[in-house]
Amino acid sequence: MLRKEFPWARFYDLRCPVQFDELGNVLEEIQASHSRCRRESEQGIDGMPIIGESDATKSIESLIERVAPSQATVLIAGESGTGKEVVVRQIHRQSGRKGPFVAINCGAIPEHLLESELFGHERGAFTGAVTRRVGRFELADGGTIFLDEIGDMPLPMQVKLLRVLQERVIERVGGTASIPVDVRIVAATHRDLSRCITDGTFREDLYYRLSVFPIDIPPLRERPEDIAPLVREMIERVHRRYCVQLRITPDAMAVFEDYSWPGNARELANLVERLAVMRPNGLIDAPDLPWPLRETPPGTDAFADSVSQDLKVLPEGGLNLKEYLADLEREMIRFALERADGVVQQAAGELGLQRTTLVEKISRHKLRDRD
């Protein structure tokens, strides 16, 4: 089993005395497999294909097929974690455009830096601008630019984006030349933009420019038929990453399908990865599922007992304890951030850490925070 599935098992096929070229080939195979697994795990749900059997998912696939070959601007709406970027990447793949796919989160970049990020800047445009910089729109020339969380874009930037949508030209910060750009614009938001328009935080004219072709992604709780196929895909991914083949019992799957998934597909992906770390023996039954899927919130002793139980049986072939503990720490931090809705101070309190310590760990594990 191990020799067929895992590249490192190729060492067993080497015969003594080991030939240098043959050993080099085996090491290259292992390195390529490791790099592929890292790329897949870092992509998360955004690197997944569109998966599901519900009518809503089939409708979204149909809409993508219709709009992708056109140049129409697309506005995707849906709760956080529903897989909006999955849809955007699929639109780009089916568009036939040869240029790159460039994404930017409009809510994650400070207002005073957003214009430079989008449009670039000339040398000397502001303090610290020691060289000319090309913005995301120019980088996406010939391809697709994805404006994520467009509802968080400041009003002054909305005016400048409106001009780009109308004329397909940009101006770098500190420059005077109008630069034409050939880009397909796709935007996404988890906010109710009609309410934002009423509140005066989003321009109505920009909304109509963006929503030429709107696509709404329902939350996962409204399409339970998609949960089982999503779980199967995520299990396959963690198998490639951790060499752990999770097995979900029918009782556990029933719990998955009954849960409301407030974090949608991203919460589901994080949970499956957490189970791969916590249950190296691979079998997942309903009692093994963590809170909040189960009724009882976890106490410190119950959690410690769960971890202890998981470690009583090592996976076949053993494990790397250092990597296991690092993965466990990362998943616990990720879970705490989800429960705290991204507030670092609150998550630090749940983990018994100082805020500065948690920020350092977030950076080390390359986790995002929204504090």
Side-chain angles (χ1 to χ4, degrees):
M1 177 69 73
L2 291 177
R3 296 189 186 186
K4 292 180 180 178
E5 293 186 5
F6 308 131
W8 55 261
R10 285 270 284 113
F11 279 122
Y12 291 109
D13 298 329
L14 295 175
R15 291 179 293 181
C16 293
V18 176
Q19 299 297 314
F20 181 78
D21 290 343
E22 188 177 0
L23 176 61
N25 291 336
V26 172
L27 292 174
E28 286 181 3
E29 287 182 29
I30 294 173
Q31 183 180 23
S33 176
H34 177 68
S35 299
R36 183 176 63 254
C37 289
R38 285 187 63 88
R39 286 194 303 270
E40 289 174 351
S41 64
E42 288 170 359
Q43 284 180 331
I45 64 168
D46 295 333
M48 292 174 58
I50 297 176
I51 296 170
E53 301 173 356
S54 67
D55 291 340
T57 298
K58 293 176 182 177
S59 175
I60 290 171
E61 291 175 333
S62 175
L63 291 173
I64 291 173
E65 291 178 1
R66 293 183 182 183
V67 74
S70 73
Q71 299 305 310
T73 303
V74 181
L75 178 63
I76 301 173
E79 295 180 4
S80 296
T82 50
K84 295 186 287 294
E85 186 163 344
V86 175
V87 174
V88 180
R89 289 182 180 274
Q90 190 66 26
I91 290 173
H92 175 67
R93 281 193 291 267
Q94 296 185 20
S95 68
R97 298 182 67 84
K98 303 302 182 182
F101 175 89
V102 177
I104 183 170
N105 188 317
C106 301
I109 299 176
E111 181 176 352
H112 64 284
L113 297 177
L114 185 56
E115 182 176 4
S116 175
E117 284 290 331
L118 288 174
F119 307 137
H121 62 252
E122 299 289 351
R123 179 181 178 182
F126 48 82
T127 302
V130 294
T131 60
R132 171 186 288 179
R133 179 179 180 181
V134 174
R136 304 292 179 94
F137 270 90
E138 285 185 83
L139 290 174
D141 192 45
T144 302
I145 186 167
F146 173 39
L147 304 176
D148 196 10
E149 299 302 348
I150 191 72
D152 296 333
M153 179 177 282
L155 281 169
M157 276 304 305
Q158 293 180 29
V159 177
K160 296 177 180 180
L161 177 61
L162 186 62
R163 178 172 182 257
V164 177
L165 287 165
Q166 291 172 337
E167 303 177 15
R168 286 301 195 272
V169 297
I170 64 165
E171 287 184 8
R172 297 193 188 109
V173 177
T176 56
S178 294
I179 304 170
V181 287
D182 173 23
V183 293
R184 169 76 171 278
I185 299 175
V186 183
T189 181
H190 73 282
R191 298 188 181 279
D192 182 350
L193 290 186
S194 60
R195 179 175 295 179
C196 293
I197 292 171
T198 303
D199 296 340
T201 59
F202 200 83
R203 293 180 60 97
E204 186 174 13
D205 49 0
L206 178 58
Y207 171 76
Y208 289 117
R209 284 283 181 178
L210 290 172
S211 60
V212 175
F213 195 95
I215 298 178
D216 293 327
I217 304 179
L220 190 56
R221 61 182 173 274
E222 295 181 7
R223 40 192 178 96
E225 304 94 329
D226 292 347
I227 292 176
L230 280 169
V231 170
R232 288 194 293 268
E233 171 66 21
M234 293 165 183
I235 284 176
E236 180 60 29
R237 287 188 164 230
V238 299
H239 172 58
R240 293 194 296 266
R241 181 177 184 185
Y242 296 112
C243 298
V244 172
Q245 183 64 65
L246 290 180
R247 291 167 292 157
I248 308 294
T249 67
D251 288 345
M253 184 59 72
V255 175
F256 274 82
E257 293 176 344
D258 288 341
Y259 181 57
S260 62
W261 299 108
N264 293 292
R266 182 170 289 114
E267 182 184 2
L268 178 59
N270 290 344
L271 175 62
V272 172
E273 186 172 354
R274 177 188 175 194
L275 291 172
V277 174
M278 299 286 292
R279 296 280 176 182
N281 58 315
L283 181 63
I284 308 297
D285 201 359
D288 303 321
L289 296 175
W291 183 87
L293 274 76
R294 293 189 299 163
E295 296 292 335
T296 307
T300 304
D301 293 339
F303 177 76
D305 290 343
S306 174
V307 174
S308 175
Q309 181 65 33
D310 293 336
L311 293 176
K312 285 180 180 178
V313 180
L314 287 174
E316 187 177 359
L319 56 76
N320 185 311
L321 183 60
K322 184 177 180 180
E323 291 182 0
Y324 178 88
L325 293 176
D327 288 334
L328 180 60
E329 180 182 65
R330 184 185 70 250
E331 293 311 308
M332 291 301 99
I333 292 173
R334 179 183 291 171
F335 185 64
L337 287 170
E338 288 177 357
R339 285 183 54 179
D341 196 27
V343 180
V344 176
Q345 185 67 43
Q346 183 178 337
E350 291 205 18
L351 295 170
L353 299 174
Q354 296 292 329
R355 184 186 184 281
T356 53
T357 302
L358 181 56
V359 169
E360 179 184 347
K361 290 180 180 293
I362 289 172
S363 176
R364 184 195 315 151
H365 291 299
K366 298 180 180 179
L367 297 170
R368 297 179 180 177
D369 65 270
R370 307 197 305 270
D371 198 21

